[in-house]
Amino acid sequence: MQPANPETRTPQEFEKVLSSSSTEVASFDRHEKSALERFQHFLHSSPAAVALIVLVLSIAVFGLILGGKFFSAFTLTLILQQVAIVGIVGAAQTLVILTAGIDLSVGAIMVLSSVVMGQFAFRYGLPPELAVLCGFVVGAFCGFINGVLVARMKLPPFIVTLGMWQIVLATNFLYSANETIRAQDIEANAPILQFFGESIRMGGAVFTYGVIAMVLLVAVLWYVLNHTAWGRHVYAVGDDPDAAELAGVNVKRMLISVYTLSGLICALAGWALIGRIGSVSPTAGQFANIESITAVVIGGISLFGGRGSVLGMLFGALIVGVFQLGLRLIGTDPQWTYLLIGVLIIAAVAIDQWIRKVAG
């Protein structure tokens, strides 16, 4: 049987609609982005840029108002000294928030770790180096418990760390009997506990080892988060844990490692805290949890996880330090500092939502 000639055969019913169809080649809409849209996408790809811009502007404004009184090597390094503790604790908070969690216990873990270091050295007579190590173990253990409860038991991070904050805070006061170990005793018997309070002078600038530790910690975490598989997994878990699981990421193990590392960094902050104030005090650093969240939010790290940079956290902490010192030098009421910081927090969250909405 001979096949039908394509030119003479009768078109079928469904083929008749093809005669009126378009014959144009498919094309894509090449809408030219406006300057505002390009700026929004730049901010989305560089979340720390907003904090850096605000930091530069705030330094410039206070510099114009105060002149050389503010633009001196000593004053600028004094800001670094003031934010060293917040910067270290903020690094711990950054890791947790990048996974779409939050850690309200960072301040309490920091203080408990410092108390353990002091008490183990003076109450039990352990070598100071071993006492410091015990403090790190306590900090890591507290973080590990947080991680297990969040990852294994699927409890909300806010509730878990709120409970841990209360538990660690009470343990701190019960264990230490609310006693302070004096700076003179530490200097005479365990000077290593005050190591991060020692300083290096470079002309008029004064850098404490606590400042150097903060800068090195931020630099290391920036590299790890941006250039290692572990860092990419942290962002993936915060962005979409289900998709990360399907991609082969062990989400539970990642969360436990993040919270454990957060506790370890808090112990480092506890050691730096002793150097900063000179003594071991169970009442020091009680607001570090709020201050760390403030630095993270102002630094452009999204509270919804998966987006942000540890450098932004550092910029956020420096912004707070600049406002605190600048307003103090001007002689304004300290309440203005809290008012302006509150405005910055709300503005930072609003900008984050705006960037997500447009760039998404």
Side-chain angles (χ1 to χ4, degrees):
M1 182 177 180
Q2 295 295 326
N5 189 341
E7 297 180 357
T8 59
R9 71 180 179 83
T10 304
Q12 299 186 45
E13 188 66 28
F14 71 88
E15 294 178 318
K16 293 180 180 180
V17 298
L18 298 176
S19 60
S20 59
S21 62
S22 175
T23 58
E24 295 180 1
V25 178
S27 61
F28 296 95
D29 181 17
R30 296 185 177 274
H31 169 66
E32 186 70 24
K33 292 185 176 69
S34 66
L36 178 61
E37 289 175 326
R38 289 196 296 270
F39 182 62
Q40 290 166 343
H41 282 272
F42 165 73
L43 294 180
H44 186 268
S45 60
S46 305
V50 176
L52 180 59
I53 293 170
V54 174
L55 176 61
V56 172
L57 289 176
S58 60
I59 291 175
V61 169
F62 283 112
L64 290 173
I65 295 173
L66 295 166
K69 189 178 180 182
F70 185 81
F71 272 132
S72 67
F74 176 77
T75 300
L76 294 177
T77 52
L78 180 60
I79 294 172
L80 286 171
Q81 293 178 40
Q82 291 180 335
V83 304
I85 306 301
V86 175
I88 296 174
V89 178
Q93 189 73 257
T94 296
L95 293 175
V96 175
I97 289 181
L98 283 176
T99 64
I102 195 167
D103 194 344
L104 299 177
S105 64
V106 287
I109 294 175
M110 173 188 72
V111 178
L112 179 61
S113 299
S114 69
V115 167
V116 166
M117 292 176 189
Q119 293 292 335
F120 275 40
F122 285 86
R123 181 186 296 182
Y124 305 126
L126 291 180
E129 295 80 5
L130 185 57
V132 169
L133 181 61
C134 291
F136 276 95
V137 170
V138 169
F141 178 73
C142 292
F144 174 77
I145 296 299
N146 282 337
V148 169
L149 294 175
V150 170
R152 300 287 182 186
M153 303 201 56
K154 303 293 185 181
L155 298 179
F158 181 89
I159 301 301
V160 168
T161 57
L162 178 63
M164 181 62 73
W165 172 52
Q166 296 283 359
I167 292 170
V168 173
L169 200 63
T171 302
N172 171 41
F173 285 115
L174 291 171
Y175 176 67
S176 66
N178 205 16
E179 295 179 351
T180 298
I181 301 175
R182 298 184 307 167
Q184 301 92 313
D185 296 331
I186 296 176
E187 185 176 359
N189 301 295
I192 192 175
L193 295 180
Q194 297 177 334
F195 170 74
F196 287 111
E198 298 177 9
S199 60
I200 301 174
R201 291 185 176 273
M202 298 181 181
V206 180
F207 297 95
T208 63
Y209 287 116
V211 170
I212 296 172
M214 175 191 68
V215 173
L216 290 177
L217 174 65
V218 170
V220 169
L221 287 180
W222 178 86
Y223 178 83
V224 170
L225 288 171
N226 290 279
H227 295 91
T228 68
W230 186 87
R232 289 190 291 272
H233 291 171
V234 169
Y235 281 102
V237 169
D239 189 52
D240 191 335
D242 294 330
E245 189 82 48
L246 291 174
V249 177
N250 190 325
V251 174
K252 293 180 181 179
R253 185 182 301 170
M254 279 300 304
L255 287 173
I256 292 174
S257 68
V258 165
Y259 280 91
T260 303
L261 180 57
S262 173
L264 200 64
I265 294 173
C266 289
L268 174 63
W271 189 7
L273 179 65
I274 300 175
R276 174 66 179 163
I277 65 177
S279 59
V280 176
S281 173
T283 60
Q286 296 298 326
F287 298 103
N289 53 348
I290 302 300
E291 292 171 344
S292 66
I293 295 172
T294 299
V296 167
V297 172
I298 295 177
I301 297 174
S302 176
L303 291 175
F304 300 98
R307 195 179 74 86
S309 170
V310 69
L311 289 178
M313 178 282 304
L314 179 59
F315 297 150
L318 290 172
I319 290 170
V320 175
V322 168
F323 272 84
Q324 287 177 337
L325 185 59
L327 292 174
R328 191 183 311 157
L329 290 174
I330 292 174
T332 59
D333 191 310
Q335 297 306 320
W336 281 102
T337 303
Y338 297 109
L339 187 150
L340 291 174
I341 290 173
V343 171
L344 284 174
I345 292 173
I346 296 174
V349 175
I351 290 172
D352 176 64
Q353 291 296 301
W354 175 66
I355 294 172
R356 276 178 171 270
K357 180 180 177 180
V358 175

